Structure formats: C-alpha cells, structure tokens
Amino acid sequence: MPPTRDSRRAVYRRVAQRPHIDWPAYDSTPLYDRTSLAGLESDIRTVSETWVDHDSHDSIEEFVCVLRIASVRFSAHDRYAGSTRYRMATLFRVFVLKECHGWEHETALVGYLGNRPELCEQLGFETIPYQSTLWRSWHERFTADLRETVETAARTILIKAQNAGVAVPREPERKLRYHGNESGESDPDDQTTLKQAEQATDHVSRIVFPAFSLDRGNGCEIHENAYWDLQTYLGLRERLAANEGARSFAYESTRERTPLGHAHREQIRDFSIEQVRAMYQQAITRLLNEVSETEQFFRAGIVAIDITEDDPFTGDRTGREDEIIGTKEKSDEYAYQWATVQLVGNAVPLVLDARPVRKGESRKEIVEDLLNSAEDLVHVDNVLMDREFDSQHVLEMLSQRGLSYVVPKRMQTSEKAQAKRLLQRDQDRYETDRKLHLGKNEWHENLAMEADLPPRIEGERPSPQLCRRFWYDTYTAVLGGVLEGVDEIAAEQGSSDPRVVMQNYLSDSRARRVRREFMRDQLNAAFGERT
C-alpha cells in the first residue's frame, strides 16, 4: 500500500513524541548543522524505524522516495563547482536505492529505472539518467564521506525494515562500521589495538556527545566537546583529580584549547541527578539505534541490576547524610552507592541507566525505577540480580510485571553450615527447593492443585488461612476427645482436671501417640486416598 498523507503525518507525529529523541538532528544540538552527514544518518535512522513500523508502509523504495532531505545542504559534499543537470538530493536518493539492492554497477540501476518510469519520476528524474552520468556522479562528484553516508543509510533502512517484517531486496550486513580506516590484522599489536580503541572512542563520541549539553552561550572559546573529552579522560583513569587530569589532558589532547580543572568542575557539578540521567538516556537511545542493527543486539532481552559502592568517603558529609550512606560491609565507613541496570548475556554490553542509592530507599523502589528506564529503551524478559535483592516485595513485583528472574537466595546461618559440610565432604553442590511464596498465594495455589482440592470448600477458595483454621479446629476437637479418654485416669489420681494427667503423668512421646491415635481418623478423611 503506497504511503498516504495521513500515514506520513502519523509517522512524523510519532517521531516527535518519542522520548529522548530530537528530530531533525541538526536542530537539536549545536554540534550538527545542515551540512552534517552524522546528523543526516541520525535522522534516517530515527525516521526509518518508525516508518516501516506503520501498517500502511511495506516498501523501502517508497520510503527512499519520500525521505525528507530538503533541509540538508549537500553543497559542502559536492566536488563539482559548475552547473549540473541533477540535484544532489536526487542523486542521493537514487544511490541509496542502488545500495539497498546491492548493485555494484550503475548499469543494473539504469535498467531497473527503465522498467519503472513511475519510480523514476518519484525519485526526481524527468528521464532515465545515463549510466555514465551516474558513474561520474558517484566516483567524481560525491565526496568519500558522502558515499559512506549513502552506504550507511541504505544499510540502516534494510535492517529497520527487516526487523519490522518488511520485505528487503538483500540481506543487510549486521556489523558496526567505524569511521576511518580499519585494520585487517587478525592478531594486532599494542599500537594497532590503541589505534582501534581510538577509532571506537571517536565513533561513540560522535553518537553520544550531541545528547549532552552544557547550555553555554554562543561564542565560547573552548568547544563544548572539550569538556566531554576531558570527562571521558578522567573517567578512564583511576584516582585522577580534575586539576591534575586537566593538565595531563592538555598535553595529550590535539585540541588547541582545553578547559582548566576548576572550570570543568564548575560546569559539571551544576547538573542535577535528574538532568544527568535524562541526557544519559538520550545518549543511550542514540547508541541503541546504532547497535540495534547488529546481530548481538537483535538477541537482547536479559538485564542485570547491581549496586556498586564507591571508595570510602573521608570528607565532611554534613548535609549529604542521605546520599553518602553506610557501606555494604558492617563498618563505620560511609560511601556513595550507585545502582545500575545493564544489558548482559549475548547482547551488546551497555549500561542502560544508573541512579544513586539514597538512605531510606527500598530495594523494590530502586529495581522498579531502573526497570522503568530499561523497558523504555529495550525489550526485557529476564532480570539477573545479586542476593541483596532477595526480597519478597522485589520478587512479587517482578512476577507481576511478567518477568523471569534469577536471584540467589540470601545466605542464612544454616546454609553457611551446609556450605562448610560440603567443603568437608569435598562436594560442590547441594540442591533444595526454595519454596518461595509469590504474590497472590501462587505457591499455595499450585500446592492446592497438586492435592486435587475442589475449587470451593464450604463456600471458600482454598487458602493458607482456610488450611490453618481447619488444622486448629480439628486439633481442638481431637484434644477434647483425648481429655475425655484420660478423664477416668485423672479421677483415679484424685484430680478433677484431666489436663493434669496429660501434663504430669504421661511422657511426651506417650502424649503424642495418644493425640496421633485420635487425629488419625480426621486426618485420613482429609488427606487419605480418594475412592
């Protein structure tokens, strides 16, 4: 079905309403402008994902024809200075179409357009272009960066369409591409490894930095990215203070101007936790849009939630007692603690969100907050957590959200003794049923079904309260019969109260046997084999 005005409007309305997404990219950050190819790639990635998800859109060719690129200034990437027959935007579309089909030569493209005059017109051609004209445009008119953007755009469109179940003309390559040259060595040396690490860092920075903003005025001498470069530099090194790190960064950086340590601190510390989390989530959204085109991310679905403790805090924590809390180890030390949720397993390892742990917060509140953020970004079906999250309320919440989970049971004193016995016996395993009681009496409901209890007992559903009431009522009635049986013995002993005999004249084992004999009929009626 061809796109309609209403379907196109619905797509761009959904794009505008998506959280942590700014479109068009050049209008959302001073790092991009209308000549930015990275901004163009970001816009294509954002719009194509929403476009192919619409029920009325089932053709990638139609998307290529209607893709909004009128605001892009291709002049910076046009190596022809004089007048030309075809506009750069028209050539960009047709070369994206060529890459989507995977044709190596322009001859196949010309033949395809010759058999589809309507498509040729939608792309912006009045007549079928010559093969030689297209060859010169691609090899001589387009810059190398623009050719790479065409390839990236086509690959993105194919992957988004394939993920949405839309037919694609060829299988896309699900492998991240880095800007710049890549080494083909299978066993790189240290220098090659450092170079590849630098390429990866540059690539990630190109995606992540536009999501962060210092909200500085125009005309600043030090570029905003220099602050984020310095923050990355400090974060990758241990025990490096801002002043010392800024001096080292000034020597190692290729930038002409870099921020001083105190200026960097003033800029960064003005952010609130909520502002940092919002910018980080926007950055992660941009990263996910990139890595979602890989096989590794396509199988994502497992997240791990953990709490990380900083080094002990040695300063004055006055006024920050709710943020600088006690350590996990029972001691008199204090430290910042951070809770994180991260993609794990076969997925691309990414920290989806992080938040401080404050005094008085329950583990349930922390897990709910992190899961809300994670499920806004990715599909989650399994949660891994340490035993510190082994809480009835946490596990019930996960169950109610329909999530499976793996949480080690808290180590009790008896389990520590069992671990010691396993060590003494040279054994490495001991398995036991956890018998976890979940929400809505799930453990009891399963037990009631296994016992083949009727749906209603005396008008009530089987429940732990009903079972306890039955047991106490039955025990009380049986105890009355037991006391009647020893009444004669009490009279012979000169006592008017048969309970004196039970307490003083019968041994504990004898008293249990007496109660067991009187209970046998009642328990057999309740739990015996059914005929």
Side-chain angles (χ1 to χ4, degrees):
M1 180 184 299
T4 63
R5 180 180 179 182
D6 290 340
S7 68
R8 290 195 295 267
R9 182 181 299 171
V11 166
Y12 288 103
R13 183 182 294 115
R14 285 181 57 190
V15 170
Q17 293 173 349
R18 286 182 59 184
H20 315 309
I21 288 292
D22 289 321
W23 180 87
Y26 68 81
D27 199 30
S28 63
T29 170
L31 302 180
Y32 289 161
D33 57 27
R34 295 192 176 188
T35 66
S36 171
L37 296 180
L40 176 59
E41 293 175 15
S42 176
D43 287 345
I44 292 176
R45 185 179 296 110
T46 298
V47 178
S48 62
E49 182 177 15
T50 307
W51 178 277
V52 296
D53 203 37
H54 195 283
D55 293 337
S56 299
H57 301 159
D58 55 5
S59 169
I60 62 171
E61 291 183 354
E62 293 169 351
F63 173 72
V64 173
C65 291
V66 301
L67 177 63
R68 292 187 179 182
I69 55 175
S71 58
V72 180
R73 294 175 180 170
F74 288 102
S75 56
H77 312 284
D78 187 353
R79 293 192 291 190
Y80 281 7
S83 61
T84 56
R85 181 175 183 181
Y86 299 121
R87 297 169 54 245
M88 287 288 286
T90 301
L91 293 172
F92 181 84
R93 291 184 193 277
V94 76
F95 285 128
V96 169
L97 178 65
K98 171 178 173 287
E99 284 296 323
C100 284
H101 283 274
W103 295 318
E104 295 184 5
H105 304 289
E106 290 72 19
T107 303
L109 174 62
V110 172
Y112 189 80
L113 295 177
N115 295 327
R116 293 165 177 80
E118 184 177 349
L119 173 61
C120 191
E121 182 179 350
Q122 290 174 342
L123 288 170
F125 292 106
E126 297 180 359
T127 59
I128 307 299
Y130 291 111
Q131 180 270 339
S132 58
T133 302
L134 293 177
W135 187 94
R136 286 194 301 271
S137 298
W138 177 257
H139 292 278
E140 299 177 0
R141 186 175 180 182
F142 276 34
T143 63
D145 288 342
L146 183 57
R147 292 197 298 268
E148 185 176 354
T149 295
V150 169
E151 295 169 355
T152 300
R155 173 174 164 270
T156 297
I157 294 170
L158 290 174
I159 290 175
K160 299 301 183 184
Q162 189 178 60
N163 291 347
V166 174
V168 294
R170 67 178 177 89
E171 185 73 18
E173 177 189 5
R174 291 183 179 269
K175 180 181 178 182
L176 285 179
R177 295 181 179 179
Y178 298 101
H179 285 247
N181 296 327
E182 297 183 356
S183 173
E185 298 179 10
S186 58
D187 188 15
D189 54 20
D190 291 344
Q191 189 63 35
T192 303
T193 301
L194 289 174
K195 185 176 181 180
Q196 290 177 343
E198 182 181 359
Q199 291 174 351
T201 303
D202 291 343
H203 185 76
V204 172
S205 300
R206 180 181 59 85
I207 302 170
V208 169
F209 284 177
F212 290 87
S213 175
L214 295 175
D215 196 21
R216 302 160 73 227
N218 296 326
C220 296
E221 294 184 4
I222 301 178
H223 197 282
E224 183 172 304
N225 274 9
Y227 287 88
W228 304 123
D229 278 338
L230 175 55
Q231 184 64 30
T232 303
Y233 182 86
L234 296 173
L236 293 175
R237 289 158 177 80
E238 294 185 0
R239 303 184 182 276
L240 187 61
N243 287 334
E244 180 184 353
R247 287 192 293 269
S248 300
F249 180 69
Y251 285 108
E252 296 187 22
S253 174
T254 58
R255 294 183 179 276
E256 295 182 0
R257 295 288 303 274
T258 59
L260 299 176
H262 70 276
H264 176 75
R265 283 199 306 269
E266 290 176 359
Q267 291 284 352
I268 300 300
R269 67 173 40 164
D270 286 342
F271 287 119
S272 66
I273 297 296
E274 290 72 20
Q275 288 176 312
V276 173
R277 290 184 71 185
M279 290 190 295
Y280 183 80
Q281 289 168 0
Q282 184 174 353
I284 286 297
T285 300
R286 295 174 61 86
L287 269 178
L288 290 174
N289 286 337
E290 179 96 359
V291 301
S292 63
E293 301 168 5
T294 66
E295 286 284 356
Q296 289 82 356
F297 183 79
F298 200 58
R299 298 191 295 267
I302 305 176
V303 299
I305 295 178
D306 190 22
I307 292 181
T308 302
E309 186 177 282
D310 202 353
D311 293 333
F313 184 81
T314 57
D316 182 11
R317 67 186 191 103
T318 302
R320 296 182 178 273
E321 291 86 352
D322 292 341
E323 301 174 7
I324 308 173
I325 59 180
T327 60
K328 296 181 181 180
E329 298 293 333
K330 302 301 181 182
S331 67
D332 58 353
E333 293 181 324
Y334 297 92
Y336 286 102
Q337 293 186 19
W338 297 88
T340 60
V341 56
Q342 177 179 350
L343 279 175
V344 294
N346 291 328
V348 175
L350 282 177
V351 177
L352 300 175
D353 195 12
R355 69 185 303 279
V357 177
R358 298 183 175 90
K359 184 178 180 180
E361 287 183 322
S362 67
R363 291 295 187 259
K364 178 175 178 288
E365 292 174 319
I366 294 172
V367 173
E368 275 188 312
D369 186 19
L370 292 176
L371 282 179
N372 288 338
S373 298
E375 290 185 322
D376 284 341
L377 298 171
V378 298
H379 169 73
V380 177
D381 55 24
N382 197 302
V383 183
L384 310 180
M385 296 183 291
D386 289 337
R387 57 171 40 93
E388 64 182 305
F389 294 98
D390 179 26
S391 161
Q392 178 72 27
H393 301 294
V394 171
L395 302 185
E396 282 186 356
M397 181 268 294
L398 294 175
S399 179
Q400 290 168 2
R401 295 176 82 121
L403 300 174
S404 58
Y405 53 85
V406 177
V407 184
K409 189 176 182 295
R410 288 183 183 269
M411 186 72 78
Q412 306 296 335
T413 302
S414 61
E415 294 168 333
K416 294 180 180 178
Q418 178 65 41
K420 186 178 295 185
R421 287 193 293 270
L422 289 175
L423 182 62
Q424 293 172 348
R425 299 170 186 173
D426 195 23
Q427 297 177 347
D428 61 358
R429 183 179 305 170
Y430 172 76
E431 296 180 2
T432 182
D433 186 3
R434 181 173 184 164
K435 291 183 170 57
L436 175 67
H437 169 70
L438 297 175
K440 297 183 180 180
N441 298 323
E442 291 176 13
W443 177 79
H444 186 271
E445 290 176 0
N446 292 337
L447 182 62
M449 287 188 292
E450 292 176 5
D452 196 24
L453 294 181
R456 296 275 180 176
I457 299 177
E458 296 181 354
E460 294 186 44
R461 293 183 180 274
S463 66
Q465 295 83 358
L466 178 62
C467 292
R468 285 195 294 268
R469 189 164 62 246
F470 163 79
W471 177 263
Y472 294 141
D473 291 346
T474 303
Y475 180 81
T476 303
V478 167
L479 187 58
V482 171
L483 295 177
E484 290 178 3
V486 299
D487 187 66
E488 295 180 1
I489 300 176
E492 292 176 0
Q493 299 295 329
S495 175
S496 60
D497 189 354
R499 286 176 293 185
V500 175
V501 176
M502 292 288 294
Q503 295 174 0
N504 300 329
Y505 295 97
L506 294 180
S507 64
D508 291 340
S509 60
R510 175 58 181 162
R512 283 195 299 271
R513 284 198 299 271
V514 172
R515 287 194 299 268
R516 189 179 298 121
E517 289 173 2
F518 278 84
M519 286 284 287
R520 182 172 290 110
D521 292 340
Q522 284 82 357
L523 296 179
N524 187 62
F527 301 106
E529 293 293 332
R530 300 193 177 196
T531 58

